[in-house]
Amino acid sequence: MTGAQGQDRESLTTMFQRLIANYGPITLQHYMGEANARYYAGKDPLGSGGDFITAPEISQMFGELIGLWLADIWIRAGRDEAVHYVELGPGRGTLAKDALRAMKRYGLEPQVHFVESSTTLKDIQIAAVPGARLHADLSTLPMDGPLLVVGNEFLDALPVRQLVRIADGWRERMVDVQDGRFRPVAGTKPMDAAIPPALKDSPEGTLIETCPGAAAVVYELAGRLVHQGGAALLIDYGHDAPRTGSTLQALKAHQRVDPFTMPGEADLTCHVDFAALANVALSHDCRHLGTVTQGRFLRDLGIEARAQALAKVAPQHEAALHLAKDRLIEEGQMGALFKVMGLASPDWPDGASF
Ligand code: SAH
């Protein structure tokens, strides 16, 4: 750990402790939001030397097939030249680089926009894709021309709110300090009015998780797609049917750690509720093309053939290529847990694989 990171950790832990000592427990949403903002601001967490690895960092095939999907739907929608490529939380810019290379083969050369909050990652992204425009959020994205939007492992980093059923009714899940350590506790304020009627009488201990930030992003995206045209692929680990229980987890150096130690030093994530997000898009008159597993999506787009083609060019990498492909599509690996949700303007055609 560098001295600077040590100081950061100290200050976020101290800040939370002071806040809680003075004003009482903070919401889990507050805790997760501040912890992740601190986490992403100061470091590049991706890759084998980092805390976690993502699909585009596993293999170039991932970004190439996303690019192929976008080029295919763009061609069938009529090849509007004024199109923009938008990526949410582009990490090291690897997915964008691979997707743009694949799109170029089909004559698609969009203006590139990255929505990113991390100063460290912004520099790496611009080095990977010179000329990309950076945005702090979706509000400054261009208002003209269709948008081709991609977000891989972006929504899972946005802070969640948890509501828990105790003997007296529903409460917000808060973070308190007990014996000098952060601990999740039930708040004191009744939250029954926030619970859907079907879940109100759930047994004690039931927990409901919602992600207001993810819903806001999808709401804004849906509106843009309806008004400007275009399509979006949102890829993340998550579930396609409503469910209860906490999915909060923390990763550090590729290991699961307690989310309530070291705020700002481990990556905090939650599963994405794709069913809820599809409803948000539909409520804005956007098309929900479907939500499928990553394994099915990549198989339908031809990952097996792509792996074979790459192995032909570089036979010395054949075994590694097949291992990477299996990691992306096999059920026991990323193939089933990760989902791909497709959204599109009502005027745009269906997308491949949905
Ligand atoms: N898509 C990349 C990186 C995933 S990690 C990949 O697949 O490799 C999450 C990314 O989202 C990082 O780039 C992180 O800095 C960014 N991010 C997290 N929270 C954000 C927020 N609230 N606003 C903008 N970017 C955010």
Side-chain angles (χ1 to χ4, degrees):
M1 188 198 306
T2 67
Q5 277 172 327
Q7 277 163 24
D8 278 351
R9 178 187 63 168
E10 192 59 22
S11 64
L12 188 58
T13 297
T14 309
M15 191 195 91
F16 278 154
Q17 283 180 335
R18 189 171 359 94
L19 201 63
I20 293 168
N22 287 331
Y23 300 103
I26 56 173
T27 62
L28 178 72
Q29 190 181 351
H30 181 170
Y31 176 89
M32 184 176 173
E34 294 255 13
N36 270 358
R38 179 68 58 96
Y39 175 75
Y40 282 106
K43 67 185 283 196
D44 169 10
L46 293 151
S48 53
D51 292 326
F52 58 95
I53 188 161
T54 55
E57 302 295 335
I58 291 172
S59 169
Q60 70 185 76
M61 293 184 280
F62 185 78
E64 288 171 350
L65 294 172
I66 301 278
L68 184 67
W69 188 94
L70 295 173
D72 170 63
I73 197 166
W74 172 75
I75 289 166
R76 287 184 296 111
R79 296 178 185 266
D80 191 327
E81 296 288 334
V83 69
H84 302 275
Y85 173 89
V86 175
E87 193 171 329
L88 311 176
R92 287 180 172 165
T94 310
L95 194 169
K97 204 170 160 183
D98 293 335
L100 289 164
R101 190 177 59 246
M103 291 190 287
K104 198 171 172 186
R105 278 190 231 128
Y106 296 89
L108 171 53
E109 294 187 71
Q111 169 78 244
V112 180
H113 301 267
F114 290 157
V115 177
E116 178 58 65
S117 57
S118 160
T119 326
T120 308
L121 289 175
K122 275 179 195 167
D123 293 343
I124 300 173
Q125 290 160 12
I126 292 299
V129 185
R133 297 194 190 164
L134 291 163
H135 302 261
D137 56 46
L138 282 78
S139 66
T140 53
L141 291 173
M143 298 281 198
D144 61 314
L147 305 180
L148 295 174
V149 185
V150 179
N152 186 59
E153 292 212 44
F154 171 74
L155 299 173
D156 68 358
L158 302 180
V160 297
R161 180 175 195 202
Q162 291 186 340
L163 297 162
V164 63
R165 176 82 159 87
I166 60 167
D168 299 349
W170 289 89
R171 300 286 187 273
E172 176 130 21
R173 209 163 184 223
M174 316 290 286
V175 178
D176 199 0
V177 177
Q178 290 170 358
D179 303 326
R181 307 179 62 153
F182 296 115
R183 284 279 165 260
V185 296
T188 50
K189 202 168 128 208
M191 295 299 298
D192 299 71
I195 306 298
L199 290 169
K200 270 215 165 98
D201 293 327
S202 306
E204 206 179 317
T206 306
L207 189 146
I208 302 175
E209 207 169 68
T210 62
C211 188
V217 165
V218 170
Y219 188 78
E220 168 133 21
L221 263 187
R224 294 299 201 101
L225 296 180
V226 170
H227 288 108
Q228 294 173 228
L233 289 176
L234 298 171
I235 307 141
D236 239 302
Y237 70 126
H239 42 94
D240 195 19
R243 64 154 138 167
T244 57
S246 174
T247 69
L248 179 68
Q249 69 166 37
L251 274 183
K252 183 155 182 62
H254 302 265
Q255 303 291 325
R256 278 190 187 213
V257 296
D258 178 356
F260 298 104
T261 58
M262 303 189 286
E265 280 206 44
D267 179 44
L268 295 181
T269 61
C270 281
H271 284 210
V272 172
D273 182 347
F274 283 103
L277 295 181
N279 282 332
V280 170
L282 289 168
S283 75
H284 219 341
D285 300 323
C286 181
R287 285 184 69 205
H288 173 225
L289 300 175
T291 301
V292 297
T293 63
Q294 178 172 298
R296 172 178 148 182
F297 183 80
L298 295 176
R299 276 196 185 91
D300 285 355
L301 286 162
I303 194 168
E304 300 281 0
R306 184 70 191 132
Q308 273 162 20
L310 286 170
K312 231 181 187 166
V313 183
Q316 72 278 23
H317 296 313
E318 182 167 6
L321 275 162
H322 285 287
L323 274 177
K325 178 206 66 187
D326 289 346
R327 195 160 170 196
L328 294 176
I329 63 175
E330 288 302 327
E331 281 223 356
Q333 305 196 53
M334 296 174 83
L337 182 58
F338 279 74
K339 312 285 187 301
V340 183
M341 179 167 84
L343 302 176
S345 154
D347 306 330
W348 274 46
D350 285 345
S353 182
F354 293 108

